[in-house]
Amino acid sequence: MAEVKVPELAESITEGTIASWLKQKGDRVEKGENILELETDKVNVEVISEEAGVITELKAEEGDTVEVGQVIAIVEDNGEAGGSSEEQSEDTSKEEEGASKESEKSSEKKEETSKDDSKESAEEESSDDGERIVATPSARRMAREKGIDLSDINASDPRGLVRSQDVDNHDKQPEKAEAPKKQEQPQKQASGKPEKPVVREKMSRRRQTIAKRLLEVSQNTAMLTTFNEVDMTNLMELRKRKKDEFQERHDGTRLGFMSFFTKASVAALRKYPAVNAEIDGEDLVMKQFYDIGVAVSTDEGLVVPVVRDCDRKTFAEIESDIVDMAKKAQNKKLGLDDMTGGSFTITNGGVFGSLMSTPIINGTQAAILGMHTIQKRPVAIDDENMENRPMMYIALSYDHRIIDGKEAVGFLKTIKDLIENPEDLLLEG
């Protein structure tokens, strides 16, 4: 027999939520085969079986929160796939008692049914709406023990007599029996008016974590946002001229805007090192590396994988890393190492059409850069001429405890100048 336990995840993660069981009780598994998907605060992790055999017991259900080291399943090497008929009966009824007690209860029910059939008299009582209910004493006793209202039970007897087997059948199908009642008798609000239709569902673990972290950032930082706008004309023309050659030279990697903004951010971080810092107690930690987080939207919420050493990578390497991270995020394949250790973050709301926003700082970082949609606007070229130019608003949300307004404005101005003159990025290395 082998126990399947929740594995060690990361230093800061002590628990997770079972997203889905990939194997069920009675299924045969091989050594190293995935048996469930575990959702943590940051990523989804697939848990494997350390031994080959048959799953004989699942100790947690989907949606349950489990801790690192907790036993969540049992695998036996000599178990029989599919399970016995007795086990299946126990699973269906979800009774906690053993098979022998189930057998005794079944015998008692049969005896009571036989007695019911032989009795000609039955007791009557009135339901809440005044309807007369006729039931045998054993059915009444069984309903009382199970907490079932006799008026909810459909009698099989054409005369409307409720027997013990009717109570038993009702107890085995509680959802079907309760559904009509819920529809016919909607809950009332305090005002006495019918309740408006709503759909209530539990937030995913990741959504709960996102909500918690964003609230912590807003409460624990002195966050401000400053704005500027960038004329994208030169960058768009450069990209148009070079994109085909770039893609051919770098094995299909496309030349996008993100690599330019990443390189511009590295140059600005070097010029204004406080933007690349964080507070640790009473210390200010000035980071000497440039690991840039790039926000990626998924069905389960926003994740921020990190592109490492952006100061040392080429445009092609940055573009390739961003694409790989985005694919892993969409396929839920991001690892914990992909999500930790970033020094600065870039988020691009422009891909969804956002014209302007105030992004929230990521974790303990000092700032985040927000990119937005490119929109043509009239721009004064000189005192006499106007032109329609492709313009983008950029925003820097920053922790005012670390960064002064002068530094924040200078940081954005540096990015603006480099993007509007993209050839200058080559001089930055």
Side-chain angles (χ1 to χ4, degrees):
M1 181 182 75
E3 295 179 335
V4 179
K5 298 181 180 180
V6 179
E8 294 287 342
L9 301 169
E11 184 177 353
S12 60
I13 298 178
T14 59
E15 62 181 19
T17 299
I18 295 180
S20 63
W21 282 102
L22 306 179
K23 296 290 185 178
Q24 299 298 322
K25 182 178 178 181
D27 289 351
R28 176 168 291 280
V29 295
E30 300 299 329
K31 183 177 180 179
E33 187 175 3
N34 296 325
I35 63 173
L36 79 148
E37 185 177 19
L38 190 68
E39 183 183 18
T40 70
D41 294 346
K42 297 180 179 179
V43 296
N44 284 20
V45 179
E46 291 181 336
V47 179
I48 66 172
S49 174
E50 298 292 344
E51 300 292 339
V54 174
I55 298 177
T56 58
E57 186 177 0
L58 300 180
K59 291 182 172 291
E61 298 180 357
E62 291 182 1
D64 287 355
T65 298
V66 292
E67 298 180 353
V68 171
Q70 179 178 334
V71 178
I72 50 179
I74 301 295
V75 176
E76 294 189 6
D77 55 0
N78 59 351
E80 296 183 2
S84 65
S85 59
E86 185 178 70
E87 290 174 338
Q88 293 173 357
S89 175
E90 290 175 3
D91 290 341
T92 303
S93 62
K94 293 184 179 180
E95 292 290 337
E96 296 179 355
E97 300 177 357
S100 61
K101 291 184 179 181
E102 290 292 329
S103 178
E104 291 175 6
K105 285 185 177 181
S106 177
S107 298
E108 290 174 0
K109 290 176 183 178
K110 289 180 180 179
E111 291 178 4
E112 289 173 353
T113 301
S114 178
K115 291 178 181 179
D116 290 341
D117 293 338
S118 63
K119 291 184 179 180
E120 295 179 356
S121 61
E123 299 179 12
E124 294 185 1
E125 69 176 30
S126 297
S127 64
D128 294 339
D129 57 6
E131 181 184 355
R132 305 296 294 179
I133 302 172
V134 185
T136 63
S138 58
R140 198 177 306 282
R141 183 176 63 255
M142 186 182 296
R144 194 164 49 243
E145 292 173 352
K146 294 178 177 292
I148 299 174
D149 191 337
L150 286 172
S151 62
D152 293 338
I153 299 174
N154 295 322
S156 58
D157 190 288
R159 298 170 297 173
L161 176 64
V162 178
R163 300 178 182 274
S164 58
Q165 62 263 40
D166 297 326
V167 180
D168 189 45
N169 291 336
H170 177 86
D171 186 47
K172 290 181 178 179
Q173 298 178 339
E175 295 180 356
K176 294 183 179 179
E178 291 176 5
K181 182 178 178 182
K182 290 182 180 179
Q183 294 174 358
E184 293 171 6
Q185 300 178 2
Q187 293 182 348
K188 303 289 183 179
Q189 294 179 339
S191 62
K193 296 180 180 180
E195 189 179 63
K196 296 291 185 181
V198 298
V199 175
R200 183 184 296 273
E201 59 182 36
K202 185 177 180 180
M203 292 198 321
S204 68
R205 186 177 192 87
R206 189 158 305 141
R207 177 55 63 183
Q208 293 179 49
T209 301
I210 291 172
K212 179 181 177 182
R213 297 280 171 80
L214 292 180
L215 186 60
E216 287 176 351
V217 169
S218 64
Q219 292 175 339
N220 297 328
T221 62
M223 190 169 67
L224 293 178
T225 305
T226 187
F227 300 91
N228 210 320
E229 63 177 352
V230 178
D231 186 344
M232 300 289 289
T233 300
N234 292 335
L235 178 55
M236 293 178 71
E237 289 180 352
L238 174 63
R239 180 173 176 267
K240 184 178 181 179
R241 292 197 315 269
K242 298 294 184 178
K243 65 178 182 179
D244 292 337
E245 180 184 347
F246 184 92
Q247 187 170 350
E248 182 178 352
R249 179 179 297 181
H250 298 289
D251 299 324
T253 300
R254 295 182 179 182
L255 179 61
F257 294 135
M258 285 302 300
S259 55
F260 286 93
F261 276 91
T262 301
K263 281 291 190 180
S265 295
V266 170
L269 290 170
R270 281 173 166 163
K271 189 174 182 179
Y272 298 95
V275 185
N276 202 37
E278 69 175 64
I279 292 177
D280 183 15
E282 297 181 353
D283 297 331
L284 187 62
V285 180
M286 310 294 286
K287 300 171 185 175
Q288 301 297 309
F289 57 89
Y290 304 92
D291 294 349
I292 309 299
V294 179
V296 177
S297 178
T298 70
D299 293 338
E300 296 181 349
L302 199 70
V303 294
V304 187
V306 179
V307 180
R308 310 287 177 185
D309 301 320
C310 292
D311 55 323
R312 305 177 191 174
K313 289 183 175 177
T314 65
F315 284 81
E317 289 172 332
I318 292 174
E319 291 288 354
S320 178
D321 285 353
I322 291 174
V323 171
D324 290 343
M325 290 293 186
K327 288 180 179 179
K328 290 172 70 174
Q330 296 296 338
N331 296 327
K332 301 180 182 179
K333 298 298 183 183
L334 284 173
L336 293 173
D337 292 341
D338 297 327
M339 308 278 287
T340 55
S343 62
F344 182 75
T345 297
I346 302 175
T347 181
N348 185 5
V351 296
F352 304 109
S354 173
L355 182 62
M356 185 179 291
S357 67
T358 56
I360 297 180
I361 299 170
N362 182 29
T364 60
Q365 296 175 11
I368 181 173
L369 175 68
M371 299 166 54
H372 299 91
T373 192
I374 300 172
Q375 187 179 65
K376 285 191 175 182
R377 293 194 291 273
V379 176
I381 304 302
D382 51 39
D383 292 341
E384 298 180 355
N385 299 305
M386 300 278 291
E387 287 186 9
N388 286 332
R389 293 290 184 93
M391 305 297 293
M392 175 194 287
Y393 287 119
I394 55 175
L396 182 75
S397 291
Y398 60 97
D399 190 343
H400 207 348
R401 299 177 303 166
I402 304 175
I403 304 167
D404 293 330
K406 179 182 178 181
E407 293 172 298
V409 172
F411 182 91
L412 274 192
K413 182 67 165 54
T414 299
I415 290 181
K416 170 184 169 67
D417 291 343
L418 290 171
I419 296 298
E420 290 183 345
N421 301 279
E423 291 86 353
D424 291 347
L425 284 171
L426 299 176
L427 303 179
E428 295 292 333

